[in-house]
Amino acid sequence: MWDDVEPLLATLRPGLYIGVRGRLERYQEERQLHIERLAPVRVELDDLVLFLPRSARSAELMDAELNALIDSIREPPLRDLLHRLLDRSTDSGHTFRLAPAAKQHHHAYLGGLLEHTLSVTQVCELLAGHYGSGLDRDLLVTGALLHDIGKIREISTRSGFPYTDEGKLLGHILIGLQLIADAAAGVSGLAAERLLLVQHLVASHQGRFEWQSPREPRTLEAVILHYADDLDAKLNQVAALVAAVGQGWTAYDRGFARDFLRHRPADERPAPLPPRPASATSALPPRRGRTARTGFETLDLFET
Amino acid sequence: MWDDVEPLLATLRPGLYIGVRGRLERYQEERQLHIERLAPVRVELDDLVLFLPRSARSAELMDAELNALIDSIREPPLRDLLHRLLDRSTDSGHTFRLAPAAKQHHHAYLGGLLEHTLSVTQVCELLAGHYGSGLDRDLLVTGALLHDIGKIREISTRSGFPYTDEGKLLGHILIGLQLIADAAAGVSGLAAERLLLVQHLVASHQGRFEWQSPREPRTLEAVILHYADDLDAKLNQVAALVAAVGQGWTAYDRGFARDFLRHRPADERPAPLPPRPASATSALPPRRGRTARTGFETLDLFET
Amino acid sequence: MWDDVEPLLATLRPGLYIGVRGRLERYQEERQLHIERLAPVRVELDDLVLFLPRSARSAELMDAELNALIDSIREPPLRDLLHRLLDRSTDSGHTFRLAPAAKQHHHAYLGGLLEHTLSVTQVCELLAGHYGSGLDRDLLVTGALLHDIGKIREISTRSGFPYTDEGKLLGHILIGLQLIADAAAGVSGLAAERLLLVQHLVASHQGRFEWQSPREPRTLEAVILHYADDLDAKLNQVAALVAAVGQGWTAYDRGFARDFLRHRPADERPAPLPPRPASATSALPPRRGRTARTGFETLDLFET
Amino acid sequence: MWDDVEPLLATLRPGLYIGVRGRLERYQEERQLHIERLAPVRVELDDLVLFLPRSARSAELMDAELNALIDSIREPPLRDLLHRLLDRSTDSGHTFRLAPAAKQHHHAYLGGLLEHTLSVTQVCELLAGHYGSGLDRDLLVTGALLHDIGKIREISTRSGFPYTDEGKLLGHILIGLQLIADAAAGVSGLAAERLLLVQHLVASHQGRFEWQSPREPRTLEAVILHYADDLDAKLNQVAALVAAVGQGWTAYDRGFARDFLRHRPADERPAPLPPRPASATSALPPRRGRTARTGFETLDLFET
Amino acid sequence: MWDDVEPLLATLRPGLYIGVRGRLERYQEERQLHIERLAPVRVELDDLVLFLPRSARSAELMDAELNALIDSIREPPLRDLLHRLLDRSTDSGHTFRLAPAAKQHHHAYLGGLLEHTLSVTQVCELLAGHYGSGLDRDLLVTGALLHDIGKIREISTRSGFPYTDEGKLLGHILIGLQLIADAAAGVSGLAAERLLLVQHLVASHQGRFEWQSPREPRTLEAVILHYADDLDAKLNQVAALVAAVGQGWTAYDRGFARDFLRHRPADERPAPLPPRPASATSALPPRRGRTARTGFETLDLFET
Amino acid sequence: MWDDVEPLLATLRPGLYIGVRGRLERYQEERQLHIERLAPVRVELDDLVLFLPRSARSAELMDAELNALIDSIREPPLRDLLHRLLDRSTDSGHTFRLAPAAKQHHHAYLGGLLEHTLSVTQVCELLAGHYGSGLDRDLLVTGALLHDIGKIREISTRSGFPYTDEGKLLGHILIGLQLIADAAAGVSGLAAERLLLVQHLVASHQGRFEWQSPREPRTLEAVILHYADDLDAKLNQVAALVAAVGQGWTAYDRGFARDFLRHRPADERPAPLPPRPASATSALPPRRGRTARTGFETLDLFET
């Protein structure tokens, strides 16, 4: 049987999956694997979760949150655009649910792109609720949901999450703009001006030219999206560093040029706050958009 | 009577208030002011609102929000610290309610410091709710409420909002840390470690050394506070630029090195969203912290 | 007649063209213009050359050079792509011949985009000839011809050359990539890999992220295009500064943070070089690409 | 015999050459080297090519190109200056033909300085031909030929190409300026103003203060020389990276902070272009300077 | 006996001190250590000099210099402030004499903080003498003596000199300001304005925001202190590099991005200068402040 | 007489000196100037002090200090080099005594170059005395005296102190190196290694490439010279700002991006310090180099 192995070894490359067929036997109190056949196997996209790290959040809940956010858009053409790009039934929507959000640094695991996108969008929605009526909530949510869509073609969804040629030569922002332009061509009733504002959100979400952003934010919504995106990526990174130590200082991180403090173990924290008495301001009407958040699963930084 | 004027003129300096006594008469269909006496007058802090620009938000509502936030802190020593520094009955708390948040750029009007502080704290609370149980909400809210406290001695609450000597020689972060250390000395039960974490939030809230931050954020809470502060200041600036134009492009802003687009007049926006039907995720428990926000007045970026 | 003027004056905006009808008379040895009617007029794109500064190079010669360059492409799909975007008969090709290359700084005049594009492409061709067979000349020339195509929608072809909304929100590189993607959809036989390499040339031609380039050059051709573009723009700027002084030092230029020296007036330069005798190396075969330059009009930096 | 070895080993230092005398014998089907004597040997400059990497270009052809370029200068004092510094019979000219252009990064091999200098000068000549009569071609070519002359004393022409003391304490630009000043003292008829312009070309060729350039370009010729030098050095580096892979992506390069794509193997490129038909512009007179390039050997980026 | 070792080994951590009890015996001409007991021991601060690197300067002389500098202050409140913080009998003064000046880089040894502080203060005094009567010498000397006082709580005085939590979360400048504020509270007659100027010296001594200085110098004294501090730290670093080589070039230093030359061995330097004859200017009065330096021990860069 | 004026006015240029001949008369209690002739006059270098701002320090004392410093050099070749460049009897030495140290910013007045050079050298000498025997004092003083020598040809000694062509194209460091190389050629016994170290001091005195320094300091002496030079220039600037206000804050300075505080008027400073009693350390031998300073005039920052 070992005759199979040598030629196989010669073809091994990083990122290849090897199928092993054999039988488990017991020999003098120890278990032994009798290998009968080794061969490279093709692993379908949906089976990658068996091999690669994946998001700690439930895929079903994330799916439900995504659908709820899309359905919350009041403007039919924007909602249509989102359906065409993000629906589970589409190619892009399918990959969108599996892809990582980055090669390394933040959300570098299967489902990371969806997890990051949801979190950024939910933060944007909270901020839109907080900053009031001057903001175009639908535009902001649309841009937030699409801001990293290009990553489905920038990063390969296989071991190591290497960049694609397209990823290196164009990058996810330019790829994303192309995906949006292609999808927008089929949307009826989408005004050029609205599409332009969505494209600007995608083009400027990295905030500064030197941070590889082709544009800098020039609308209130673009300013918000940039901060929400940057905060979510940074927090995910710091939370991963912090989660890796029980308490005290994390390892030194070169990118941040510092270490971080996990200042108290979880079990030492005080008991939950008792219900607060109705305050003097409790008669005020509730804020727009808050109710919509009821359905979201709690995102816990330390689940990872 | 004009004999009074020459010596008065010789003593005029920017920032001086001049009292005028006279009588209004009508002469040939036009009104005339007969001046009887001119003299420099001393204007009490509480009367400055008659002369200087002030926040568009109601002082009473802001006061209520501040009190509610302080009362929401579960940890007695932190709550005590906040009372000693921010209660309306204290000197610092009194000035805190009147001071601007900056000499220019953002929230540069009476009440601006309180308005900015509330908004930053509320954003921090929303983010603490979103990012879940790994965060120390009380610590974050305490740091957010105190992050700019030093501005009460950095900027003079008079016309032009000039910097004080202390403001130029130490800056608001160092002044704030001193105010906190002084107040903390009187708080019983405040562990050195907790105080240190509050001080770190103040010391690092400007995020980067080159942005004049004596420290860079090294806790999750400090990362969040920095983003909330930066976002709120920037949005206030951009919203002021945008509010100054009816529609279209704002004037070019040197600090941002760009102009901004106000993309639609308010009255052309679509009708309010009808109530959303209960979604598949509606059975999930509500998020911690959301109820607390019920009482907040809606902050509208375009009220200014 | 002057009754017409007041309402007209009220509608004047920068960039408006006013038609004047009247008659020229002679009164006491001086000529007088008797105005009969004033009205805003619509000036067709092709008539703008009557009002705005234009390139010193002949439009016919530039047109011929452009056609020759397109025809020199050996790869049918790339040539087809160029025809679809740059042919005089197309909308984009028409505007391409009239547009300026920048709002200010370099080639900021009608025809400037074509003049700059030709010069950059010709420099690329010279460099491709010099650096030999390792380079993909057709790819480089295609990318050079298209690198600034997005400027036809970034800058308005009217007085002051203001940026369009699209120009501010997306910028010429993203617009150009969209134009190319749209045109490429109709080209038969254009391999995805080839299109990607063209797109990379456009996406990376500004060389560095902080110079507003969405990508940095990752092919030899992209390195060359970046230098050719940067050199041509800079030389055009410096030549304009130098041309404005007879001899000696130019005015101080803020962008360059220096002044420049025009070191000798043209008429003091030595007589033309006599024909060089055949050198020892004259038996070597001629370089590829050199013959192709025979047809180019001489570009003189000081014609402007 | 091995008694010789121990004391020899004790004196070994990097960069030392060891002579080995022995005889080659055959023992049981294998060849054996019988060493009779080992001793450090002095290797003359001209013999270094036996040990160190050298340019892929023919030394004779490069010599011929250099002479042709010097002879092409019409202004006798500039030509005289070049002869005094670069003639093969001079010390400086001799070393100039052997030296590398850099310790590492680009053209880091024997003959690299001459190869780089020729290429930069030829690119300058092409650009002078392209940009027309406003440029002082003789000045530009003189500056290009001399721009790196100081490297003959900055870098040691021995293994590892270490910097000399003078190289570390002054650098090649300051050394070069001193060499030029010394040589210029013996040139008759060289106007101070002309010498100053040559010196400026050398002093500013690295373009920016932060790129270790003592001056920034302030003449058109200096702008061109800087771009030609920078492009040639960068292309040589990238070409070396690209040549090291058959096809696809190079290793990640720290200096460039990216990897590069070799996008097609040489043998897959299309057949040579058939002779182009005379175009509509073929009647234009040829450009100045083009004929002069006839004699140059083809420089192929991938020969290395 | 070895039974003791295993559990001990399990508790070893970097920075722990292990006591060894045993007896030294002689066995067959070789000395042997018979270990009887191993146990972690607590090493008092004053005994650390037995284990950790320490300053080459005499502790007694440094102590005398410090006292002399404090006594030289003419302004009683400033002198009182210095006594409260730096007197050997105080906790802070005790640690101040033992602490290193940095974790690595410069003066990273026991006593380094005092050595660095003295040298900076002496340089400040020399500069105050040189630059004349416009400077406030007492203020400058006070600020110089206190500029790094916060390091006594920023860096742990144990092996490796790790940062404390407070050091990471606040840094030595903020800690120092707190120490000064606390001490100043007990000083009678210290005007708020004087204290503010001392605080500014501490707050701005690192010179630039991006060099982690919370303030930038805004008084003449603060400008001088910054230069004296920076020079002394850099010279100490370079001198350590230079001292590590007998002659010639030091190892490449990443922080400085260069190597340094030790240009002559000490013993090759010329004989001491014979006494200079009284010059024409010898009748001028001596400078203020020079006499005060008579008592200082000579600081020799190469003693280390 | 006024007929003279019109043609004269036509020839006026900035920097021209106009001679006026006339007589002063008294007419009705007022003095009148009766102009008889106006003509441009040539003002010899030595007479410029009549028209342009000059150093507040006595030229005779500065001359004496310069001579004393040169005479203090123990190494004959270095002393010879200094005599050849700085002796009053030489052209360079003559101009050196009249030239300003900068076009603007610091020491921008006649005699400023000498004043700045002396101050930098004296600071270097103080530092050499402080930092002890590891430093090559003669080398440092030589480099300090020559570090800005190139300014005698970089800046025109006439109104406005404009840069010369040579100053713009080469700059004072490169000019200075050339002056030194020329002078060194005539000095007997000057070892190449010593000259190289002097040249390095000049080449690196601006400290960083981005601060327009062709080299960065690589010897201890070069590190010291850089700090002494930078400090002296900055202090001169700040002192000029401070001297322009009686007390309080100076005008905002763009270069420094801040204002400065003059914190107390001179007359409020405490009485001179009484003679200090001999301290415990007074038995230590005096430091080398201190005696040499006896002869220097006191430099007072506020004389200007």
Side-chain angles (χ1 to χ4, degrees), chain F residues 208-250:
Chain F
R208 298 189 174 201
F209 295 122
E210 65 266 36
W211 296 343
Q212 311 198 10
S213 192
R215 288 280 99 183
E216 295 188 336
R218 280 177 135 152
T219 62
L220 282 165
E221 293 80 13
V223 173
I224 289 177
L225 176 55
H226 163 58
Y227 277 91
D229 176 43
D230 200 13
L231 170 65
D232 193 71
K234 292 290 193 309
L235 268 189
N236 182 270
Q237 273 186 274
V238 178
L241 289 169
V242 161
V245 296
Q247 188 177 4
W249 292 94
T250 69

Side-chain angles (χ1 to χ4, degrees), chain A residues 2-56:
Chain A
W2 288 104
D3 298 350
D4 289 0
V5 177
E6 288 255 332
L8 177 64
L9 288 178
T11 66
L12 287 185
R13 279 172 299 103
L16 208 68
Y17 298 91
I18 306 296
V20 178
R21 177 185 297 160
R23 57 179 195 283
L24 203 61
E25 301 189 342
R26 193 165 289 270
Y27 174 76
Q28 294 183 347
E29 305 306 306
E30 298 215 346
R31 287 186 302 177
Q32 280 189 346
L33 176 66
H34 284 252
I35 294 172
E36 286 167 351
R37 190 167 153 68
L38 283 174
V41 292
R42 184 180 151 79
V43 177
E44 297 302 316
L45 210 52
D46 294 334
D47 294 333
L48 280 172
V49 294
L50 301 172
F51 301 97
L52 300 180
R54 60 179 289 271
S55 169

Side-chain angles (χ1 to χ4, degrees), chain F residues 262-273:
Chain F
R262 176 164 193 166
H263 47 84
R264 284 194 308 175
D267 52 8
E268 287 178 34
R269 263 189 272 112
L273 187 66

Side-chain angles (χ1 to χ4, degrees), chain B residues 252-286:
Chain B
Y252 179 85
D253 183 86
R254 273 179 168 274
F256 283 108
R258 70 197 105 133
D259 49 6
F260 291 88
L261 179 65
R262 176 163 193 167
H263 47 83
R264 283 192 309 173
D267 51 7
E268 287 177 34
R269 263 189 271 113
L273 188 65
R276 295 188 206 142
S279 75
T281 61
S282 65
L284 291 178

Side-chain angles (χ1 to χ4, degrees), chain F residues 3-303:
Chain F
D3 297 351
D4 288 1
V5 177
E6 287 256 331
L8 177 64
L9 288 179
T11 67
L12 286 186
R13 280 172 297 103
L16 208 68
Y17 298 91
I18 305 297
V20 176
R21 178 184 296 160
R23 57 180 197 284
L24 203 63
E25 300 190 343
R26 194 166 288 272
Y27 175 76
Q28 295 183 349
E29 303 306 306
E30 298 214 348
R31 286 187 302 177
Q32 282 189 343
L33 176 64
H34 284 252
I35 294 172
E36 287 166 352
R37 194 168 148 66
L38 283 174
V41 292
R42 183 179 153 79
V43 176
E44 296 301 318
L45 210 52
D46 294 335
D47 294 332
L48 281 172
V49 293
L50 301 172
F51 301 97
L52 300 180
R54 60 179 290 271
S55 170
R57 300 201 63 212
S58 141
E60 286 70 31
L61 280 170
M62 291 202 289
D63 196 56
E65 285 180 27
L66 176 60
N67 292 335
L69 282 164
I70 295 175
D71 289 340
S72 79
I73 302 289
R74 295 166 302 179
E75 214 172 313
L78 294 184
R79 204 168 55 233
D80 187 9
L81 180 68
L82 291 170
H83 279 305
R84 283 166 185 267
L85 284 164
L86 301 181
D87 265 6
R88 169 188 283 282
S89 59
T90 62
D91 275 358
S92 54
H94 189 203
T95 311
F96 183 71
R97 281 160 177 80
L98 279 170
K103 179 173 162 42
Q104 46 188 79
H105 298 313
H106 77 96
H107 302 89
Y109 39 75
L110 291 180
L113 178 57
L114 178 54
E115 181 186 326
H116 170 63
T117 298
L118 287 173
S119 184
V120 168
T121 309
Q122 289 158 6
V123 166
C124 283
E125 201 176 29
L126 290 171
L127 294 170
H130 177 72
Y131 285 108
S133 61
L135 292 169
D136 189 330
R137 184 257 177 207
D138 276 11
L139 177 65
L140 177 56
V141 169
T142 302
L145 287 172
L146 296 179
H147 81 283
D148 269 352
I149 180 76
K151 287 189 173 169
I152 62 175
R153 281 189 354 215
E154 185 192 39
I155 302 168
S156 297
T157 309
R158 57 184 174 81
S159 177
F161 299 131
Y163 288 111
T164 61
D165 283 5
E166 207 180 4
K168 289 185 178 181
L169 294 173
L170 295 181
H172 74 276
I173 294 183
L174 273 47
I175 297 170
L177 289 170
Q178 207 161 306
L179 284 166
I180 291 168
D182 290 349
V187 174
S188 72
L190 179 53
E193 181 210 321
R194 296 300 283 170
L195 177 59
L196 185 56
L197 290 169
V198 171
Q199 289 170 320
H200 176 66
L201 284 164
V202 175
S204 69
H205 79 262
Q206 286 181 196
R208 298 189 174 201
F209 295 122
E210 65 266 36
W211 296 343
Q212 311 198 10
S213 192
R215 288 280 99 183
E216 295 188 336
R218 280 177 135 152
T219 62
L220 282 165
E221 293 80 13
V223 173
I224 289 177
L225 176 55
H226 163 58
Y227 277 91
D229 176 43
D230 200 13
L231 170 65
D232 193 71
K234 292 290 193 309
L235 268 189
N236 182 270
Q237 273 186 274
V238 178
L241 289 169
V242 161
V245 296
Q247 188 177 4
W249 292 94
T250 69
Y252 179 85
D253 183 86
R254 276 180 166 272
F256 283 108
R258 70 197 104 136
D259 49 6
F260 291 87
L261 179 65
R262 176 164 193 166
H263 47 84
R264 284 194 308 175
D267 52 8
E268 287 178 34
R269 263 189 272 112
L273 187 66
R276 295 190 204 137
S279 75
T281 59
S282 66
L284 291 179
R287 292 182 158 245
R288 178 170 73 86
R290 221 158 348 103
T291 318
R293 290 196 43 72
T294 315
F296 297 146
E297 174 190 15
T298 297
L299 194 167
D300 190 326
L301 280 174
F302 291 90
E303 287 175 357

Side-chain angles (χ1 to χ4, degrees), chain C residues 5-301:
Chain C
V5 178
E6 286 255 334
L8 176 64
L9 288 178
T11 66
L12 285 187
R13 279 172 298 103
L16 208 68
Y17 297 91
I18 305 297
V20 177
R21 177 185 298 160
R23 60 181 193 282
L24 203 62
E25 301 189 342
R26 194 164 287 271
Y27 176 77
Q28 294 184 348
E29 305 304 306
E30 297 213 349
R31 287 188 300 177
Q32 281 189 345
L33 176 66
H34 283 253
I35 295 171
E36 285 167 352
R37 193 168 152 68
L38 283 174
V41 292
R42 182 180 155 78
V43 176
E44 296 303 316
L45 209 54
D46 294 334
D47 294 333
L48 280 172
V49 294
L50 301 172
F51 300 97
L52 300 180
R54 59 180 291 270
S55 167
R57 299 200 64 211
S58 141
E60 286 71 31
L61 280 170
M62 292 201 289
D63 195 57
E65 286 181 26
L66 177 60
N67 292 334
L69 282 164
I70 296 174
D71 289 341
S72 79
I73 302 289
R74 296 166 301 180
E75 217 173 313
L78 294 184
R79 205 168 54 232
D80 188 8
L81 180 68
L82 291 170
H83 279 305
R84 283 164 185 268
L85 285 163
L86 300 181
D87 264 6
R88 169 188 282 281
S89 59
T90 63
D91 275 357
S92 54
H94 189 204
T95 312
F96 184 70
R97 280 159 178 80
L98 278 169
K103 179 173 162 43
Q104 47 188 81
H105 299 313
H106 77 96
H107 302 90
Y109 40 75
L110 292 179
L113 178 57
L114 178 53
E115 180 185 329
H116 169 63
T117 299
L118 287 174
S119 184
V120 169
T121 311
Q122 289 159 5
V123 166
C124 283
E125 199 175 31
L126 289 172
L127 293 171
H130 176 71
Y131 284 108
S133 60
L135 294 168
D136 190 329
R137 185 254 177 209
D138 276 10
L139 176 65
L140 177 56
V141 169
T142 302
L145 286 173
L146 295 179
H147 81 284
D148 270 352
I149 180 75
K151 288 190 171 168
I152 64 175
R153 282 189 353 215
E154 185 192 39
I155 303 169
S156 298
T157 309
R158 56 182 173 83
S159 176
F161 299 131
Y163 288 112
T164 61
D165 284 4
E166 207 181 5
K168 288 185 179 182
L169 293 172
L170 295 181
H172 73 277
I173 294 183
L174 273 46
I175 297 170
L177 289 170
Q178 209 161 303
L179 285 166
I180 291 168
D182 290 349
V187 173
S188 73
L190 179 53
E193 182 209 320
R194 296 299 283 170
L195 177 59
L196 185 56
L197 290 170
V198 171
Q199 289 170 319
H200 176 66
L201 283 164
V202 175
S204 69
H205 79 262
Q206 287 182 193
R208 298 189 175 200
F209 296 122
E210 65 265 36
W211 297 343
Q212 312 199 10
S213 192
R215 288 280 98 183
E216 295 186 338
R218 279 176 136 155
T219 62
L220 283 165
E221 292 79 15
V223 173
I224 289 176
L225 175 55
H226 163 58
Y227 277 91
D229 177 43
D230 200 12
L231 169 64
D232 193 70
K234 292 290 193 309
L235 268 189
N236 182 270
Q237 272 187 273
V238 178
L241 290 169
V242 161
V245 295
Q247 187 177 4
W249 292 93
T250 69
Y252 179 85
D253 184 87
R254 275 179 167 273
F256 283 108
R258 70 197 104 134
D259 49 5
F260 291 88
L261 178 65
R262 176 164 194 167
H263 48 82
R264 285 192 309 172
D267 51 8
E268 286 177 36
R269 262 187 273 111
L273 188 66
R276 293 187 207 144
S279 76
T281 60
S282 65
L284 291 179
R287 291 180 159 247
R288 179 171 73 85
R290 222 158 345 104
T291 319
R293 290 196 44 70
T294 316
F296 297 146
E297 174 189 19
T298 296
L299 196 168
D300 190 325
L301 280 173

